[in-house]
Amino acid sequence: MSDRREKTDRRTHSDPRRLRKDRRLRKSRSTNGRIAVVELSRRHLRAVILDRHADDTPDRVLTKTVMWNSSALSLHTPDGQEKLVKGLKQIATECGIQGLNLKVVLSGEFCITRAIRGASEAVRLELQRLEQRSRLYLSLGPGEKIVVSNTKSVDARHVHALAAVCNGKTLEAIHQAAERAGMQIESIEPALVAVSSARSEEHTSELQSH
């Protein structure tokens, strides 16, 4: 599940403030070829930072685990929000990822993932039923639930769909905490999707290297 937020900016590219912002953004995205991923669970933040090098220098992986919520407070409360901000700031400082775009991975405690495979019409109906049932997922907390799905064709008559359900308040709380911690979120997705994407990318890299 990817959650990207776009904001409309009415300033033109000739605006010096916009030009400075664009230069900072391009610089942050290309800094040392670094990729930062943080998994959010009920009690821990687990960060993985990959330093990719264009030359023959081996890539370097840095990991860091921080207990941000020892009391298991709800992320929807002010105290829970403050603890998440503190945890993100600690990771940003100790791992040196200030200014980098951040990929956030949600554990199963914050989202529910469903994989559906079958005839196109049957999958469409099941996704529709999933969206209708989403408000019943009480384990995700009260409030509006957001359902995101991605469907790929298997053959002419069958498809494979992956759907994720998350509380809208959770997504908003994560965005606000990251902003207060001085971090930019590139995407938010379930752990299952992130692992699948990483494995697919690894397989593609292996094929290209041969």
Side-chain angles (χ1 to χ4, degrees):
M1 176 179 65
S2 180
D3 181 49
R4 294 178 174 85
R5 309 284 176 97
E6 294 183 357
K7 296 182 180 180
T8 302
D9 195 331
R10 298 183 181 275
R11 295 193 295 271
T12 66
H13 284 282
S14 60
D15 189 322
R17 291 173 297 176
R18 178 61 178 271
L19 291 174
R20 288 195 295 270
K21 179 180 178 181
D22 289 346
R23 281 195 291 267
R24 288 197 300 269
L25 183 58
R26 287 194 297 270
K27 180 179 179 182
S28 68
R29 285 179 174 173
S30 61
T31 303
N32 298 327
R34 307 192 83 194
I35 298 176
V37 180
V38 174
E39 181 193 27
L40 172 64
S41 68
R42 185 71 65 186
R43 294 178 181 271
H44 295 90
L45 289 169
R46 297 179 178 89
V48 177
I49 296 86
L50 172 63
D51 287 324
R52 284 181 168 173
H53 303 282
D55 54 22
D56 294 332
T57 305
D59 293 343
R60 186 172 70 98
V61 177
L62 172 66
T63 62
K64 178 71 177 180
T65 298
V66 171
M67 179 176 282
W68 70 276
N69 191 8
S70 59
S71 303
L73 296 173
S74 170
L75 188 57
H76 304 163
T77 65
D79 286 344
Q81 184 82 357
E82 289 297 328
K83 286 182 176 293
L84 180 57
V85 172
K86 184 178 179 180
L88 289 173
K89 285 183 176 180
Q90 181 179 345
I91 284 179
T93 301
E94 296 182 6
C95 298
I97 57 174
Q98 299 93 332
L100 285 183
N101 286 347
L102 183 67
K103 298 177 185 292
V104 177
V105 174
L106 299 180
S107 71
E109 298 160 305
F110 291 106
C111 66
I112 294 173
T113 308
R114 292 287 182 267
I116 310 167
R117 186 185 181 98
S120 301
E121 181 63 14
V123 171
R124 186 188 68 80
L125 291 175
E126 182 58 30
L127 288 174
Q128 191 176 68
R129 285 192 289 267
L130 176 63
E131 186 167 1
Q132 293 170 349
R133 295 195 306 265
S134 63
R135 65 181 184 276
L136 302 177
Y137 289 125
L138 302 180
S139 62
L140 298 178
E144 179 187 6
K145 308 303 187 297
I146 295 177
V147 181
V148 179
S149 63
N150 182 43
T151 303
K152 293 184 179 181
S153 296
V154 177
D155 54 38
R157 298 169 53 188
H158 299 84
V159 297
H160 177 83
L162 189 63
V165 184
C166 185
N167 193 314
K169 291 181 180 179
T170 297
L171 297 177
E172 189 62 32
I174 294 170
H175 274 280
Q176 291 179 359
E179 183 176 356
R180 290 178 57 194
M183 309 172 87
Q184 294 289 332
I185 291 183
E186 179 179 327
S187 63
I188 300 178
E189 58 187 4
L192 180 62
V193 176
V195 171
S196 177
S197 299
R199 185 65 190 95
S200 177
E201 182 176 341
E202 180 183 1
H203 180 63
T204 300
S205 299
E206 289 174 352
L207 291 178
Q208 291 175 345
S209 65
H210 289 6

